[in-house]
Amino acid sequence: MDQRPVRDRTGGGVRALARRLLGRVEGDSPTPRRSNPDAVVDCAVYVNGRREPGQRHYADAYARARHVRDAFVWLGLHDPGPAVLAAVGRTFGLDELTVEQALADGHRPTVQRHGPVTLLVLRTAGYVEHEELTDTSEVIDTGDVMVLIGDRFAITVRHGAAGALRSVRADIERRPTLLAAGPWAVAYAVCNRMVDSYLEVAGHVERDLERVEEAVFARDRRADIQHIYQLKREVVEFKRAVLPLQAPMRTLLDPDGPPRTLHRWFVDVDGRLSRAVDRVAAYDDLLTSIVQSRLAQLAVEQNNDMRKIAAWAAIAATQTGIAGIYGMNFDNLPGLAWRYGYAFALTLMAATALVLHRLFRRSGWL
């Protein structure tokens, strides 16, 4: 009979469990879980358009997305520092130029391809509420959003206070069919929200324009030219954010761009962007006309003031002339010894002034 001992197939698991319990008793702590930097607004893994539960470090999330079919990670950053963005770049395989571009703000809207990564830059715009327009009022707050699209990731980098993307993420998470298209669905969602914000800001600016127009053409003409110039500057800044996006949006409609399943969605965004561009261009032209009208009004007002000054100067000149003649130290001046000469001179001066005043009033100079 074989006397060899029977191998315990569960001994390894029991010993491992014992070691974990022993480690807890002796005070050993488990491996600390990595946390995302403060610049990370949100990070999630999406599989077939649905978000996986839990919060992960962006490196762990990217590792998870690379090993799961039909999965990608969406990392949202807000004003990241150089160290954070450099670490993100190393994790996701971004080149140095892409990291530098994502770190700086103030870029014009554009679409650039850096190898397997596509960089999409959009300008953000937000309306700043104000009770009345002054020569220092901030009407439109602008910033920028950069979307980095890779095979298994979408990274959004936002600079400035305007254009928060929490609501964008929440909205598209309620549309798993659309989100299942992959990282380019994130690019569509961001573009869609930016264009919506342009139209919303345009509506607010239109009301400001109506108030300025009413003030310029009112009877009392309360509009200050400095207020109009300030609104003009704000609209020009808004125009620089909206108009340059047309060319990048056309690029996204190329066959080599986003997946064909998202083509019609980008076409819809492009159509609404065209409406926003038309409205902003019309506002700029209208403000130019308002400025020219106000300048013409100021020229007319200055001309009226000069005519009034000239009329009063003419009236004063007649009094000065009469007084100057009768104030001369001549022995043979007519009426010098006349008893009523002083009263006659005053009456002549008053009559002359009254006649000239009536004539200037009748001609519209006074």
Side-chain angles (χ1 to χ4, degrees), residues 14-82:
V14 173
R15 286 193 296 270
L17 178 59
R19 282 196 298 269
R20 288 198 297 269
L21 293 175
L22 182 60
R24 293 181 183 179
V25 172
E26 293 178 353
D28 295 342
S29 59
T31 303
R33 182 179 179 182
R34 289 188 294 181
S35 61
N36 287 310
D38 294 337
V40 175
V41 179
D42 198 356
C43 180
V45 177
Y46 297 89
V47 180
N48 291 321
R50 300 190 181 278
R51 176 172 181 157
E52 288 193 340
Q55 294 289 336
R56 289 188 174 93
H57 188 271
Y58 61 83
D60 298 334
Y62 185 47
R64 166 70 175 167
R66 294 175 63 185
H67 292 87
V68 177
R69 184 178 180 182
D70 297 328
F72 73 94
V73 59
W74 180 359
L75 172 63
L77 302 173
H78 180 215
D79 287 333

Side-chain angles (χ1 to χ4, degrees), residues 347-358:
T347 303
L348 179 62
M349 293 169 65
T352 304
L354 181 60
V355 171
L356 288 176
H357 186 272
R358 291 179 62 88

Side-chain angles (χ1 to χ4, degrees), residues 37-40 58 77-90 99-100 102-104 157-159:
D38 294 337
V40 175
Y58 61 83
L77 302 173
H78 180 215
D79 287 333
V84 173
L85 208 52
V88 170
R90 289 192 297 269
V99 173
E100 290 181 357
L103 185 62
V157 183
R158 181 168 63 93
H159 298 282

